[in-house]
Structures are given as C-alpha cells and as structure tokens.
Amino acid sequence: IILRQPLLLFKDIMFNFQFSYFALPDFFVSLFLIIFGLFFFLKIKEKSVVHLTFIGLCFVMSIWLFNYFLCYLSPTSEQALFWARNAYIGVSFIPVFVHHFFISFVKRNEKDKGWIILSYILGFTFVILSRSQLFFSHAYKYFWGYYPKGSTVLYSTFLIFFFGYFLRTFFVVFFELKNHKNKDSIEYKNLRLVFIAICIAHFGAIDFIAKYGIEFYTFGYVFILIWVTIVGYSIVKYRFFDIETVIHKTLLWLFTSALVVVPFAGITYWLYPLFKHTSYVEFLLLSFSLSITTLIYYLVIQPRIDHLFQRKKYNYQNLLEVYLKKVSSLNNLSVLLQETKTVIEDIFHPKTINILINEKGKLIFEKADNSSNDKFITINKDLENFLFSLKEPIELDLLESEPSYLPVKAALSKIFNQTKSVILLPVIHNKLLGVICLGKKVTLTNYSNLDIKFISDLAMEFTIALANSLMFTIVEEQNISLKKLDKLKDDFLANTSHELRTPLNGIIGITESILDGAVGSISDRLRSNLLLVTSSGKRLASLVNDILDFSKLRNEELTLQKKLIGVREMTNIVLALSKPLLAGKNVTFINHIDNHTPRIFADENRLQQILHNLVGNAIKFTHEGSITVGAAVCRETRDENTAHPHSPLTIHPSPVAGFLQISVSDTGIGIPADKFGSIFQSFEQVDASTAREYGGTGLGLSVTKQLVELHGG
C-alpha cells in the first residue's frame, strides 16, 4: 500500500503525455541553460556573488522552461496545473537572481542590501503561494497545449513584484552606465552589453499574455536565450570561464545524450501500451530492466565519444613533442625564434606574433616605427617581479578589471599596444629572458583554455631552448671579442716592432761606423763600451724581429722565398756571426756538416734565423764545452714505447726520405724531459729562475717551430 500509490502517481504523471512540437523549444532551451550553468560552475575558480547568482539564474530559468514543456504535453487541465505550479519555483526567483546578479555586477551589494534581502523573502513567499488555487484557478487549452490562467488578484500582485524588480534592475544599470567615467574601458563595454541584455530580457514577458486567455504562443524563451548568451559573452570578456570549451562540451554532451535518448525514447514509445496496462510490480521490473540496458549502452558509447573530444588535446601533445625535437639542438637565436613563430602561426593563425628578448634590461620592439620614441621598454623591478609571479598568461581584456595589474598597467599597456597583441606570456629561466606576444586570431575566435595551456607548455620548452641559445650567443660574442683583442695585441706587437726597428738600426749602424774608424781612433775603453752597445743593440734587434715574425706568423702574413741552399756554407755564416756572443766563455763552435750534404729547398734568410735562434740559445745556456751543428738525410722514427712524444729522434744517415735533419747540440744545462712540449709555446720559459738568470721572452723557440712548420718540416 505504501509503495503502490506513489508508483501509480509517478506512472500517470511520467507516461501520460500527448506529443506537441510546440513544447520542444522549451525543452531544448531548458537543457541548454542547465548545461550552461553546470559548466559555468565547474569552470570558474573563484565563486563570487556575480558567478553564483548567474548560475542560480540559469538553473531557475531551466526549471521554469522544463516544467512548462511538461505542461504543454499534459493531456488534462489538472496535470498541466501541477507542472505550471512547479514552474513557478523557478519563475518566482527569476527577478530575484536577475536583480542580485546585476547589482553585484555593478558592485552595489552593500548599497542595495535591503532590496536584495527583500527580493529573496518575496521570492520564497510567491513559491509557497503559487501552490494555491488563488494563484492559478485552471488552465486553458491552446493549440500548443494547456497553459495556466493567471487572472487573479494574487497573481497580479506577483506581476507587480516580478516587473518591479526587473524595472529597478533596468534603471540601476542604466544610471551606472550613464555615470561611468571611462567610456573606453573593458568594464564600460561589458556594462553596455549587459544593459542591452536586460532590455532584450524584458521582451520575454510576452509569455504573460497567454495567461489572460489570449491565444498568443509563448516564445519568450527566445529572448531569454539571447540575453543569457549576451550576459555570458560579457562575463567571458572577464574570462570567468572558457566559452569555447563550454560549447564543445555542451555539444558533446548533447550528442552523447542523443545516442542514448533516441534509442531509449524509441523503446519507451514501443513499450508505451505495455507500461499503461501493467501492475506496479511489472512496471517496476520493466523500468529497472530498461534502465540497466540503457546504462550498459551508455557505458559502451561514452568512451568513444570522449576519445573524439580528446583528439585535439592529443594533437597538441604530438605538436609539442615535434617542436621539442626541432629546437632542442638549436643554438642560432634567429632560427629558434623563427621556428617558434612558425609553430604558433600554424596552430593559432594570430594576426601578429612578437617575441621580445630582454637585452640589457630592455625589451626591444621588433617593428618599432622609426619616428616613434617607443622602440623599447625598460624592465624595472616592479615589472620584473610581477612577471615572475605570474602563473598564467596575461590577457588584454583583463588589464582594466584586475586590480593586481594596476602597478604595472602602463608598462603592460605599452607592450600590448606596440605589438598589437591580446595575449602576453613571460619567458622566465632564473631571470626574465623576454615575452611572447600574440595578436588576435585571424578567425576572430577567442583563445580557449586548451590553447592557453598549449601556449604555456610551448613557452616552457622555448624558455629552455632560448636560455641555451642565449648562452651560446654570449660565449660566441665573447669568443669574437677575445679574437678582436688577440688581433689588437698582434697589431700592437707588429706596430711596436716596426717602430723599434728603425731607431735600433740607426743605433747599431752609427756604433759600428765609429768602431770602423769613421771618427778617427778611439780608446780601448770606448771601443769596449761601443762593442757592448752593438752587441746589445743586435740582441734587441733580434728580439724585435722575433716579435715581428711572431705577429706575421700568427696572422699568416709571412711568405717564404725558397731556393736551393748549401747547408754547410750557411751554417758557417751563422757561426761566424755568432762568435761575438761567445766573449768570455770557454766554448767552441763545431760545424759537423760535411761537404757532401745535399742542398735543401728553403728560404735562406728564414733558415739562418732558425739557426741563429737555436745557436743563440745554445750560447746562452752553455758556459764551457762545445756547440755542435750537424746534418744528415734521415727518416723520422720513434720508439712506440717511448712515454713522451718529444723524445729524441733516431738518425738514419741514408738518403731515403728526402728530408734533412739539422741538429744543434751543446754541453750546457740541458732541458728537462717534461718541458719538451711547453718550450715551443709562446712566451714560455722552462722556469722563472732561468728567466731571471738568462733573460729572454720565450718567443725564440715558438717562432723557430712555426718557421720550420711553414717550410713543411
């Protein structure tokens, strides 16, 4: 008995309908509103009063339209009145939520607190009163179905409440719009949109005409749909939620539901006679079986639909992987920037793409007008700290409405205006490297949350690649700078050597002419001093020549004048010229090159310079004994087990290799084996103590080695 009556009532209400095409628009609009409200609720992060009242408005209007949809389908006046009274659960709160939403939108909650509280009290009161016969006495039969009669005193009182709050909302928003100071702000534009929405919403009141016995089809849902869309658009301007995602998911839900509802509706229609004449137990079993079948069907279909919706996201992931492979090894900054712009352009088709790089604390605009002073923007501490704190991109539409942007609003506005962008994304890697600026899409559609997520992920990969590229650029610039400094040093050495050689030649020439008797006889003491001057001058001239040659060799400016040379004869000349350097030493020269040594193809002056350097070194480090110059046709071999690459060469005096090995050996202090490699480096000495004792710059052997290698030796 307890179960039978409710089940029979449920069966009569749910399955006792007559079909009407005129009822379908109310059903679809109510469905749209409930989905719109649900997704709005799920998408917004902070549930403010504006958000919650808009969601509430969507729900109460959905209740109103869905119940009238059932009212039109009802076969009797009594059943139609049941659904009409249920509809006023929603209708009574429409003016309440409309009023509260717009009062919150224009930030008058505190000022109009009394009006808001009164509206909720009246709304609840009329929900209760709508259940009474004094509210609706009966329902008319129109061509679209039954519709309740509302020509009573109580209903007229309700209309005063309904239109009174609508008109108050209209005038509040009108005066706020009229008194708004900044006519170009985003806030003003959105306020204007919602005012237009209120004006359109008032036309929805034509539905009340039919309640007075006039056969006028109730298409107020059209205006309600328009005004909800306009208000939704104005809210989207503040990015409370992503309208594109809502549309995608709404269409997805409708499509999925259709796949379930259409077969379910077909089965229900086919079983309708059976349902009408069953007992409550049979009705319960049939309903349960049908529900289980529908659920299984839905579970099979739903994953496939979800896969279709996720395809865009999956493609984004693929694109990100391809982009990462391309840029991971890029060191060229311009190529990296172009590659990144190409990817963004191919996906989103923005009107403008600008990537501004931080150059010494300034963001340089790529296409700054030459006549404009705004060619860059200086990154101050406030702007840098603000960009560091961002968790998501900045959107142009938010500049007016976000209080947190106020300290840096001027700088951000300048970037947006100069780059003609609507999205700004900072590029940060320990420091601010730059910003990515994207213009409006060519299609004029908004950037969805999925788009923003992809751009953010792309920016992360770009940031790493950019940091590497900038580091490479810095190293490359430093390398170029060092090369320039090195060139300056070489030029300085060359110029200095040229400048020194001229006066030195004059000093040596005049001194030698005095020694040759150009001014008559001189004393032995003066001769000794002049010989010292000549010797020192020649030594200095040799040093200057080494510096000059070193510079030429570094810059590859030295050319050889090769010819056939007799090595023994040339060695005799070098030893003869070097004899004055042996003064005071018990050292003898030995030319161990025999007369049958073949001539060689070389630059005679440079070969003499090589021998002068080697013999000069031998003299410097030998106090007694001998200095021997030898030569033999040889083949270069090394013992593979020798630890050091500069170990002594084995001489094979058989003319097979076509090379002549010239050796200079002495009985001096020698060179440690571990220094064989380093002595040929520029400005290198064996150790500091020898440098102090024997003097020298460390250029001699370096120049000698380079001259030998220049000969191919």
Side-chain angles (χ1 to χ4, degrees):
I1 292 171
I2 293 170
L3 291 174
R4 184 181 180 84
Q5 290 299 337
L7 284 171
L8 288 175
L9 178 63
F10 175 75
K11 186 176 76 169
D12 287 341
I13 292 172
M14 296 308 297
F15 291 96
N16 193 17
F17 289 115
Q18 58 184 9
F19 181 74
S20 171
Y21 286 105
F22 297 103
L24 292 179
D26 291 72
F27 170 73
F28 287 116
V29 175
S30 69
L31 191 64
F32 171 78
L33 289 171
I34 196 73
I35 294 169
F36 195 80
L38 280 170
F39 278 110
F40 187 92
F41 179 79
L42 294 172
K43 294 300 291 185
I44 57 175
K45 296 175 183 177
E46 298 177 4
K47 273 64 173 180
S48 70
V49 177
V50 178
H51 306 146
L52 294 176
T53 50
F54 184 76
I55 294 166
L57 188 55
C58 290
F59 274 77
V60 296
M61 287 192 297
S62 179
I63 292 170
W64 157 50
L65 290 170
F66 184 74
N67 279 280
Y68 268 120
F69 155 71
L70 296 174
C71 179
Y72 302 158
L73 297 180
S74 298
T76 65
S77 174
E78 291 76 15
Q79 189 173 336
L81 279 174
F82 172 80
W83 294 116
R85 289 191 176 105
N86 286 342
Y88 269 73
I89 297 171
V91 176
S92 298
F93 278 99
I94 288 175
V96 175
F97 281 115
V98 166
H99 178 263
H100 197 178
F101 169 76
F102 287 109
I103 291 298
S104 303
F105 194 88
V106 296
K107 300 177 178 64
R108 287 175 53 116
N109 279 322
E110 288 300 319
K111 189 175 181 180
D112 293 335
K113 191 174 182 180
W115 285 97
I116 294 169
I117 294 171
L118 178 62
S119 69
Y120 280 98
I121 293 171
L122 291 173
F124 279 110
T125 302
F126 282 109
V127 166
I128 296 168
L129 293 175
S130 66
R131 318 303 297 178
S132 167
Q133 288 288 335
L134 298 174
F135 202 83
F136 291 132
S137 58
H138 63 281
Y140 287 107
K141 177 69 173 177
Y142 293 121
F143 66 83
W144 65 86
Y146 280 100
Y147 202 73
K149 181 183 178 183
S151 54
T152 63
V153 174
L154 185 58
Y155 192 75
S156 298
T157 308
F158 169 77
L159 291 182
I160 293 170
F161 156 72
F162 188 95
F163 286 106
Y165 266 94
F166 254 95
L167 287 171
R168 185 177 192 279
T169 305
F170 174 87
F171 284 112
V172 166
V173 178
F174 173 76
F175 286 114
E176 286 290 332
L177 186 67
K178 186 179 179 182
N179 298 327
H180 203 283
K181 295 177 182 178
N182 188 356
K183 304 296 182 184
D184 295 324
S185 67
I186 297 294
E187 189 178 356
Y188 175 80
K189 292 175 183 176
N190 282 281
L191 194 59
R192 187 173 60 187
L193 281 171
V194 296
F195 177 72
I196 294 169
I198 292 174
C199 296
I200 292 172
H202 279 73
F203 287 101
I206 59 174
D207 278 22
F208 290 109
I209 295 173
K211 289 186 173 64
Y212 291 89
I214 301 170
E215 196 163 8
F216 183 83
Y217 177 60
T218 56
F219 57 87
Y221 60 84
V222 175
F223 300 103
I224 296 302
L225 186 63
I226 293 170
W227 96 263
V228 167
T229 305
I230 292 173
V231 172
Y233 176 75
S234 66
I235 295 174
V236 169
K237 296 290 280 186
Y238 288 91
R239 198 150 191 95
F240 291 156
F241 72 110
D242 179 3
I243 189 66
E244 187 177 344
T245 303
V246 170
I247 292 169
H248 284 170
K249 290 194 175 182
T250 303
L251 292 175
L252 169 70
W253 190 88
L254 287 171
F255 179 61
T256 310
S257 300
L259 291 175
V260 177
V261 171
V262 170
F264 179 77
I267 293 170
T268 305
Y269 179 78
W270 179 62
L271 295 174
Y272 180 75
L274 187 63
F275 273 108
K276 197 170 183 179
H277 301 289
T278 56
S279 67
Y280 74 93
V281 175
E282 291 170 331
F283 171 76
L284 186 64
L285 289 171
L286 281 170
S287 300
F288 180 76
S289 301
L290 189 59
S291 300
I292 293 298
T293 306
T294 305
L295 180 63
I296 294 170
Y297 175 75
Y298 184 80
L299 291 174
V300 171
I301 294 295
Q302 183 63 33
R304 288 166 173 77
I305 302 301
D306 284 342
H307 175 72
L308 289 174
F309 178 72
Q310 291 294 331
R311 188 172 60 188
K312 185 178 180 183
K313 185 176 181 181
Y314 177 74
N315 288 342
Y316 273 172
Q317 290 171 345
N318 281 351
L319 289 167
L320 201 60
E321 289 174 9
V322 172
Y323 171 77
L324 181 59
K325 287 178 182 177
K326 284 184 179 179
V327 303
S328 58
S329 58
L330 282 179
N331 289 325
N332 189 301
L333 181 59
S334 60
V335 175
L336 172 63
L337 295 179
Q338 188 55 50
E339 189 64 45
T340 305
K341 287 180 180 179
T342 301
V343 171
I344 295 172
E345 191 170 34
D346 290 345
I347 297 171
F348 302 115
H349 306 288
K351 290 184 177 180
T352 58
I353 307 173
N354 291 278
I355 302 178
L356 312 184
I357 305 299
N358 181 359
E359 296 181 11
K360 299 177 181 178
K362 294 178 181 178
L363 291 174
I364 311 298
F365 294 120
E366 290 182 76
K367 297 178 181 178
D369 185 0
N370 291 331
S371 62
S372 171
N373 294 323
D374 298 334
K375 296 178 182 178
F376 64 85
I377 182 168
T378 303
I379 306 169
N380 56 38
K381 202 67 180 174
D382 288 341
L383 180 60
E384 188 170 17
N385 290 339
F386 174 78
L387 294 175
F388 256 95
S389 66
L390 281 179
K391 304 297 181 187
E392 56 187 20
I394 309 170
E395 296 175 67
L396 177 62
D397 291 342
L398 295 178
L399 282 183
E400 295 290 341
S401 59
E402 286 289 336
S404 59
Y405 292 175
L406 193 58
V408 292
K409 182 179 171 182
L412 292 175
S413 298
K414 186 176 179 182
I415 297 174
F416 276 118
N417 292 336
Q418 198 76 5
T419 57
K420 297 179 181 177
S421 303
V422 294
I423 299 283
L424 189 151
L425 188 68
V427 179
I428 296 169
H429 188 269
N430 297 326
K431 67 174 186 177
L432 180 65
L433 301 180
V435 291
I436 299 173
C437 303
L438 303 182
K440 289 182 180 179
K441 292 183 181 180
V442 176
T443 58
L444 299 180
T445 57
N446 289 331
Y447 288 92
S448 69
N449 279 353
L450 201 59
D451 294 340
I452 298 295
K453 176 67 169 59
F454 174 76
I455 294 168
S456 300
D457 292 343
L458 183 77
M460 287 178 63
E461 304 300 344
F462 169 69
T463 299
I464 297 169
L466 178 61
N468 293 336
S469 180
L470 288 174
M471 184 63 70
F472 180 82
T473 303
I474 290 169
V475 171
E476 201 172 42
E477 287 175 353
Q478 288 178 343
N479 189 35
I480 292 169
S481 179
L482 287 172
K483 284 181 178 178
K484 286 181 179 178
L485 288 173
D486 197 40
K487 180 72 166 55
L488 284 172
K489 181 220 22 173
D490 290 345
D491 291 345
F492 171 76
L493 288 175
N495 292 334
T496 305
S497 300
H498 278 295
E499 294 299 323
L500 287 173
R501 194 158 57 172
T502 302
L504 272 175
N505 288 337
I507 293 168
I508 294 169
I510 292 171
T511 306
E512 287 182 337
S513 67
I514 294 172
L515 288 171
D516 291 339
V519 295
S521 60
I522 55 175
S523 64
D524 293 341
R525 186 175 179 182
L526 180 57
R527 181 176 292 278
S528 176
N529 289 336
L530 289 176
L531 285 171
L532 186 60
V533 170
T534 304
S535 175
S536 299
K538 288 181 177 179
R539 184 178 171 188
L540 185 56
S542 176
L543 175 61
V544 169
N545 286 333
D546 282 345
I547 294 172
L548 187 59
D549 290 339
F550 173 76
S551 176
K552 286 182 178 179
L553 287 164
R554 284 289 301 273
N555 296 320
E556 299 181 355
E557 294 173 355
L558 195 148
T559 55
L560 300 178
Q561 305 296 325
K562 291 184 178 181
K563 61 180 182 178
L564 287 173
I565 302 166
V567 182
R568 178 175 173 80
E569 293 79 7
M570 182 197 66
T571 302
N572 284 331
I573 294 170
V574 171
L575 294 179
L577 292 172
S578 301
K579 270 191 176 180
L581 300 176
L582 292 176
K585 289 188 176 186
N586 186 22
V587 177
T588 57
F589 284 140
I590 302 172
N591 186 350
H592 207 269
I593 303 173
D594 64 44
N595 293 321
H596 302 294
T597 301
R599 292 192 295 173
I600 58 173
F601 193 65
D603 186 316
E604 186 173 7
N605 290 329
R606 295 303 172 186
L607 195 54
Q608 283 191 29
Q609 185 179 349
I610 290 168
L611 283 177
H612 270 298
N613 280 335
L614 294 175
V615 171
N617 265 9
I619 294 169
K620 186 191 300 184
F621 295 105
T622 305
H623 297 291
E624 59 180 1
S626 62
I627 296 170
T628 304
V629 180
V633 175
C634 67
R635 176 167 57 89
E636 181 179 330
T637 61
R638 284 192 177 91
D639 184 354
E640 295 299 329
N641 297 320
T642 305
H644 199 279
H646 295 284
S647 57
L649 302 176
T650 304
I651 303 300
H652 295 270
S654 53
V656 291
F659 277 85
L660 191 73
Q661 177 171 289
I662 302 171
S663 62
V664 180
S665 57
D666 59 59
T667 57
I669 62 173
I671 303 171
D674 61 345
K675 297 293 183 180
F676 285 174
S678 61
I679 57 172
F680 293 103
Q681 296 174 9
S682 306
F683 307 104
E684 188 69 27
Q685 295 283 356
V686 171
D687 58 48
S689 60
T690 56
R692 283 195 298 270
E693 183 179 349
Y694 296 101
T697 61
L699 276 178
L701 287 181
S702 174
V703 171
T704 300
K705 181 175 185 292
Q706 290 179 74
L707 287 173
V708 169
E709 290 171 350
L710 194 62
H711 278 83

